[in-house]
Structures are given as C-alpha cells and as structure tokens.
Amino acid sequence: MGLHERRQREKESIRANILQAAFSLAKTEGWGSLSMRKIADAIEYSAPVVYDYFENKEAILFEISLDGFHKLHIELLKAQRKYDTPEEQLVAIVDAYWNFAFKNKEYYQLMFGLGMQCCGKGQMKKEFSSFQELIYECTYEIIKKNGSNTDNACHMSHALFSAVHGMISIMMMRTADIPSTMNKTALDETVSSFIKSL
C-alpha cells in the first residue's frame, strides 16, 4: 500500500470515528448536549482536527441523518418485498417505519428534527421522501384496483404519512401525558381504515 492510500484510509477512519463518537454521545447525553469539543475528547483528538473534517456540528448531524434515512430506506424496501398485494405491502411498510422509529429513536429525532432543529441548512435529502413514495405507490395501486379515482392517491398517501409521523412524534416527545390508546393498535386501526377508504 502506497503512502497516499495509507493517508486516505487514515482520513476515512478518523472521519468514521468522528461520526461514531457523535452518535454514541447523542445516545447517552442527547443531541442537544453534543459539541465539537465533546466529540474531539471522545476520539482523543483536538477540536481543530474535528474541524478539518467537518465545518461545524451541523455538518456532522447532517451526515448522521443521511445514514439514518439510508437505513430506514433499506428496512422499508425489505418490508415491501415480503408481500405481493399493495394492501399487504402498505401495512408492512408502515409497520417497518414504526419499528424503525422506536428502535432507532436517536436517528429518528435527528432525521425529523424532533425536539431539536433540523440539520443540514435546508439541504434536500433525497432519502427523505422514501416512505412517502412507497406509500404513494401502494395507495395508487389499491385505488386503481378498486376502480376509484387515482388522482386522489397523492392527497390520500400524504394524509397517511402525516398520521403515522404525527403519532410517532407525539409518542416520542410526550410520553408522560399521552393517552394509553395512542399506541401501535391505534396505528393498525388507522391503516386498516385508510385501506378500506380507498
């Protein structure tokens, strides 16, 4: 291995360590307490070294959020491919989305700015629309199969996304005072009613 390749690998390793340290700190202390100094201390480098790789904390958060969207996209596709009918696929996709959110709370909070500012200075994340696109496809196919007006697919799928994301956000951010009926059973009933309405 040449000197250039070795240095490149070292750079990639340091960059990966910075991202991993930031995520680990967020899991133990929360995203709000994250700082460049804490990240530097965690990887046993000086803060200027961290700034060599990332302009600021927001740039680190943006990279981590992209990783979260990528992981979510993979889970959604796996869920979709298990079933043949659009109804079954829709249920599976929503279930996978719900499960991802609660198994990966730190990712989800960062990805959607729950309890914190969204990261990325308004940069568009193409992965952001993965869930919406998949539920739109299923919604469109169900409406088409039922002989209804497919022009409604966009509006209807957006309404479902809003309901699912809203329920997750409420449960994640206000766990102490939400009604006990706000749970996975309520989500299942919402999806079932949605499919019947198409």
Side-chain angles (χ1 to χ4, degrees):
M1 182 189 301
L3 181 61
H4 175 74
E5 289 81 6
R6 188 176 294 112
R7 284 180 176 168
Q8 190 61 35
R9 281 196 181 182
E10 288 173 1
K11 284 183 178 181
E12 290 171 4
S13 176
I14 293 170
R15 192 175 190 280
N17 287 342
I18 290 170
L19 294 171
Q20 182 57 51
F23 190 71
S24 296
L25 286 167
K27 288 187 85 165
T28 55
E29 301 178 17
W31 290 112
S33 66
L34 194 65
S35 70
M36 297 294 266
R37 170 62 60 191
K38 285 184 178 180
I39 295 168
D41 290 344
I43 62 170
E44 299 181 346
Y45 278 94
S46 64
V49 171
V50 179
Y51 280 105
D52 285 342
Y53 290 84
F54 294 96
E55 179 185 357
N56 50 36
K57 182 178 79 171
E58 286 68 34
I60 294 174
L61 297 181
F62 183 71
E63 285 292 318
I64 296 172
S65 73
L66 287 181
D67 186 49
F69 278 114
H70 178 69
K71 290 178 186 298
L72 172 60
H73 182 65
I74 289 170
E75 292 302 312
L76 296 177
L77 289 179
K78 279 199 283 188
Q80 181 190 36
R81 289 170 183 158
K82 288 180 182 176
Y83 299 95
D84 296 321
T85 71
E87 293 87 352
E88 291 173 317
Q89 289 178 345
L90 184 60
V91 170
I93 289 165
V94 172
D95 282 350
Y97 188 84
W98 176 278
N99 291 333
F100 177 89
F102 290 105
K103 287 179 182 174
N104 302 277
K105 285 186 179 182
E106 292 80 17
Y107 269 127
Y108 197 86
Q109 289 167 350
L110 177 62
M111 289 157 61
F112 294 101
L114 296 183
M116 60 183 292
Q117 287 185 330
C118 281
C119 56
K121 295 182 180 177
Q123 297 176 66
M124 185 59 189
K125 307 166 188 173
K126 64 180 184 298
E127 297 89 347
F128 179 84
S129 59
S130 173
F131 179 59
Q132 294 98 309
E133 288 174 359
L134 288 171
I135 61 173
Y136 169 78
E137 289 171 14
C138 293
T139 301
Y140 182 91
E141 290 302 321
I142 295 168
I143 290 174
K144 183 179 173 184
K145 188 163 70 169
N146 291 340
S148 302
N149 185 359
T150 54
D151 290 346
N152 295 329
C154 183
H155 170 75
M156 295 296 287
S157 61
H158 184 72
L160 179 61
F161 166 73
S162 300
V164 175
H165 179 61
M167 288 178 69
I168 291 171
S169 301
I170 290 169
M171 288 188 68
M172 229 177 242
M173 302 309 295
R174 301 180 60 215
T175 54
D177 60 346
I178 61 170
S180 59
T181 52
M182 182 74 77
N183 54 32
K184 180 63 167 57
T185 301
L187 176 76
D188 293 342
E189 291 170 355
T190 299
V191 176
S192 176
S193 297
F194 175 82
I195 292 172
K196 288 175 184 174
S197 75
L198 302 176

